Amino acid sequence: MKTPLVVGNWKMHGSCAEARTLTGCIRQGTGALRTVEVALAPPFTALSTVATILKRGNLRLAAQNVHWEEAGAFTGEISPKMLRDLGCRYVIVGHSERRHLFHEDNRTIAKKIAALLRTELGPILCVGETLKERDKGTTVRVISRQVLSALKGLPKNGIGKITFAYEPVWAIGTGRNANPDQITHVHSRIREILKGLLGKAKATNCRILYGGSARPENAGELAGTPEVDGLLVGGASLRAEGFLKIIREFSRSWRGQSLEE
Ligand code: 13P
């Protein structure tokens, strides 16, 4: 049975001191929680600080980006091996801010995923359409292309280790989340692709998260949305109280549910 995953993506926010305080509060608030897996993705500068606090708890450490090479002359980049060395479990790849602001394309994203799998780190692959693409009716086509190109050439057991995150670009940081029907529609399409590649049982085990204006107020609804296996939370993960409420909503909604088909 898969456990839901809630990831806090802090983006480019916070000093080490702020990261220490926020992590401490989240750690305390999640205590012995076992029903939800929680991961924190601080900026690179705070990874080590957060790692120290998470060492003995249940919370996981995640990074927001990675380079695909193991080492070399790549000024400003961080390798998968370096992230593993710090204790990272997950790495976010293909976030829309990376795609749109830093021009990362599907080929680059595929290389990063392959490198993470080689290093035994769990990629969290973000996909999502722009508002223009949604309005044109091309959402499913865009998502399918993003998923398929990122998975190209990967072995089945590698694909099974990837967490998927549907983050519609128009919902990120806008306060306007996708509605349950829109989310289920896209998540089901991703699941169909995975079934085609991995077979039904393995595809069902893959987690597909939703991200985009997830907040304490809508977390209950999102947790109850079919095909949502967790959340990727941006702004609302920067306040411990709100983030903990999101986690609790997820825990409440999922407790006792059979997740097997
Ligand atoms: P917000 O939750 O701030 O909309 O950001 C979502 C996101 O980009 C998480 O990766």
Side-chain angles (χ1 to χ4, degrees), residues 6-8 10 21-33 35-36 38 40 59 214-217 219-220 231 233 235-252 255:
V6 175
V7 185
W10 297 358
T21 306
L22 182 55
T23 307
C25 292
I26 294 167
R27 202 190 135 172
Q28 198 172 17
T30 45
L33 184 80
T35 42
V36 179
V38 179
L40 305 180
L59 304 180
R215 300 181 300 276
E217 300 77 37
L231 292 179
V233 186
S237 70
L238 292 169
R239 286 175 211 276
E241 205 178 305
F243 190 54
L244 287 168
K245 189 155 186 284
I246 291 174
I247 295 164
R248 277 190 225 110
E249 288 286 351
F250 240 84
S251 171
R252 206 183 343 265
R255 200 178 299 134

Side-chain angles (χ1 to χ4, degrees), residues 9 11 95 97 167 171-173 211-214 232-235:
N9 176 9
K11 307 192 179 181
H95 191 281
E97 286 146 21
E167 297 206 308
I172 295 177
S213 296
L232 186 48
V233 186

Side-chain angles (χ1 to χ4, degrees), residues 9-249:
N9 176 9
W10 297 358
K11 307 192 179 181
M12 197 172 72
H13 290 287
S15 62
C16 282
E18 286 165 336
R20 194 175 298 120
T21 306
L22 182 55
T23 307
C25 292
I26 294 167
R27 202 190 135 172
Q28 198 172 17
T30 45
L33 184 80
R34 294 281 183 283
T35 42
V36 179
E37 186 180 350
V38 179
L40 305 180
F44 285 134
T45 46
L47 276 173
S48 177
T49 302
V50 174
T52 307
I53 304 170
L54 299 190
K55 217 162 226 165
R56 266 183 229 98
N58 301 319
L59 304 180
R60 315 275 194 218
L61 187 65
Q64 298 176 19
N65 188 23
V66 70
H67 193 268
W68 57 86
E69 292 289 344
E70 209 172 276
F74 302 101
T75 303
E77 296 293 334
I78 307 281
S79 78
K81 227 173 148 185
M82 292 167 177
L83 295 177
R84 209 188 51 186
D85 188 39
L86 277 175
C88 283
R89 173 74 63 105
Y90 297 109
V91 181
I92 299 169
V93 175
H95 191 281
S96 80
E97 286 146 21
R98 302 277 345 148
R99 291 178 190 261
H100 296 285
L101 302 175
F102 301 99
H103 313 295
E104 279 190 18
D105 59 15
N106 287 326
R107 274 187 55 208
T108 307
I109 291 161
K111 284 200 273 188
K112 292 185 176 194
I113 291 190
L116 289 172
L117 292 171
R118 279 197 301 276
T119 320
E120 294 184 357
L121 285 162
I124 301 177
L125 168 65
C126 300
V127 295
E129 82 287 4
T130 62
L131 192 56
K132 203 167 154 201
E133 288 162 340
R134 174 159 285 273
D135 288 346
K136 273 199 304 193
T138 56
T139 297
V140 163
R141 204 184 325 149
V142 168
I143 303 292
S144 304
R145 193 173 55 230
Q146 289 175 343
V147 170
L148 285 168
S149 57
L151 304 185
K152 209 170 168 190
L154 292 178
K156 280 187 188 181
N157 64 345
I159 297 173
K161 290 178 185 145
I162 298 171
T163 301
F164 297 81
Y166 170 50
E167 297 206 308
V169 180
W170 48 270
I172 295 177
T174 59
R176 177 185 164 199
N177 61 293
N179 69 41
D181 287 347
Q182 291 170 322
I183 297 171
T184 303
H185 183 64
V186 172
H187 284 215
S188 303
R189 176 61 198 139
I190 297 173
R191 190 83 64 198
E192 280 310 310
I193 293 174
L194 294 174
K195 279 181 187 165
L197 294 169
L198 302 177
K200 192 173 167 187
K202 287 207 171 86
T204 304
N205 272 332
C206 288
R207 289 188 289 203
I208 307 177
L209 317 182
Y210 168 76
S213 296
R215 300 181 300 276
E217 300 77 37
N218 59 19
E221 182 182 55
L222 291 171
T225 299
E227 289 287 1
V228 170
D229 303 320
L231 292 179
L232 186 48
V233 186
S237 70
L238 292 169
R239 286 175 211 276
E241 205 178 305
F243 190 54
L244 287 168
K245 189 155 186 284
I246 291 174
I247 295 164
R248 277 190 225 110
E249 288 286 351

